[in-house]
Amino acid sequence: MRTPLISAMLMAAVLLFCPLAVNLPAQQASGVAGGQAPPASPSALAQRYHIAVVDVSYVFKNFQRFTTQMDAMKVDVEAMEGVLSKDRDAINALQTEMSTFNPGSPEYKQRDEQLAQRKADFNIKATQKRKEFLEREAKIYFQAYLEVADAVKFYASSRDIGLVLRFNGDMPPDATQRDEVLRMINKPVVYQNGIDITPDILALLNRSAGGQGQATRPNAIPGQPLR
């Protein structure tokens, strides 16, 4: 399962040796023309320091092939929920019908047996489908992670980067929300200065997925959150 996806990515990986397209606003473009240097890219110093960081969560959220597969699975889950809902309605209707007969009557016993069988079949079906979707989701995540890891490996090795750390570039948390504050405190990377290769990795992955390949993540002050 991995081979065709990874090979497609690596076929496009050679584009890494070409500079990523940068669309500068008019004000920035005029600054460059006037001799002012454009703002440094998020990954400007990664090759110099031989170390980089990547926001894996952000990559997953914007990796086109991954999001397409997850959206397709969501459609299938909703369709199955519709089927199970109809089965549940049929069970409820049978239970209502059974209540119209006297307990102990042949009709009551017949409906009771049917109800027990339908409930058992429903539980088995629901459990099996849930397992299938969880396994499918796990495979999608696993395949996407392999592609992300391969892209990071290729990018790092081609630029003499010896270490790539995972970090979280989310905006600062709400100081009144305990869980958000704890997540900030537990971030593995406290500070980074121009070594965020997330846009480059995302561009590489989306090129291989047939997308435009240009990351839209905004630049930020070095060491500060990007979103």
Side-chain angles (χ1 to χ4, degrees), residues 80 83-85 87-88 91-92 114-132:
M80 180 50 59
V83 172
L84 293 176
S85 179
D87 291 345
R88 191 182 299 108
I91 290 174
N92 292 336
Q114 291 176 351
L115 184 62
Q117 185 61 51
R118 288 195 181 184
K119 284 183 177 179
D121 292 342
F122 177 87
N123 289 333
I124 291 173
K125 183 178 182 179
T127 300
Q128 288 178 338
K129 292 302 179 182
R130 181 176 182 275
K131 180 181 179 181
E132 289 175 7

Side-chain angles (χ1 to χ4, degrees), residues 13-48:
V14 68
L15 295 176
L16 276 174
F17 293 103
C18 299
L20 295 178
V22 178
N23 298 320
L24 294 177
Q27 183 178 2
Q28 293 184 13
S30 62
V32 174
Q36 298 178 6
S41 68
S43 60
L45 299 178
Q47 190 167 0
R48 173 183 172 184

Side-chain angles (χ1 to χ4, degrees), residues 15-83:
L15 295 176
L16 276 174
F17 293 103
C18 299
L20 295 178
V22 178
N23 298 320
L24 294 177
Q27 183 178 2
Q28 293 184 13
S30 62
V32 174
Q36 298 178 6
S41 68
S43 60
L45 299 178
Q47 190 167 0
R48 173 183 172 184
Y49 296 145
H50 306 291
I51 187 172
V53 296
V54 62
D55 190 337
V56 176
S57 296
Y58 184 85
V59 170
F60 266 74
K61 291 176 184 177
N62 295 276
F63 182 9
Q64 294 173 6
R65 178 161 37 232
F66 170 76
T67 56
T68 297
Q69 291 175 334
M70 292 299 293
D71 288 343
M73 191 182 76
K74 181 180 178 180
V75 172
D76 293 342
V77 169
E78 292 175 348
M80 180 50 59
E81 287 177 346
V83 172

Side-chain angles (χ1 to χ4, degrees), residues 136-179:
R136 179 177 169 183
E137 181 185 49
K139 289 178 180 179
I140 293 174
Y141 268 94
F142 180 69
Q143 179 60 41
Y145 183 78
L146 290 181
E147 291 191 67
V148 172
D150 280 353
V152 170
K153 179 180 179 180
F154 180 90
Y155 184 94
S157 61
S158 66
R159 286 162 173 75
D160 196 26
I161 296 173
L163 179 64
V164 178
L165 300 173
R166 177 173 181 166
F167 90 126
N168 187 328
D170 288 341
M171 293 296 291
D174 182 346
T176 65
Q177 299 298 316
R178 178 178 180 276
D179 290 342

Side-chain angles (χ1 to χ4, degrees), residues 157-208:
S157 61
S158 66
R159 286 162 173 75
D160 196 26
I161 296 173
L163 179 64
V164 178
L165 300 173
R166 177 173 181 166
F167 90 126
N168 187 328
D170 288 341
M171 293 296 291
D174 182 346
T176 65
Q177 299 298 316
R178 178 178 180 276
D179 290 342
E180 292 186 17
V181 172
L182 288 177
R183 280 196 295 271
M184 179 193 71
I185 294 174
N186 290 324
K187 284 183 178 181
V189 175
V190 177
Y191 173 81
Q192 65 87 16
N193 181 15
I195 59 173
D196 178 13
I197 63 173
T198 303
D200 300 338
I201 298 302
L202 184 59
L204 170 59
L205 290 166
N206 284 339
R207 283 197 193 103
S208 70

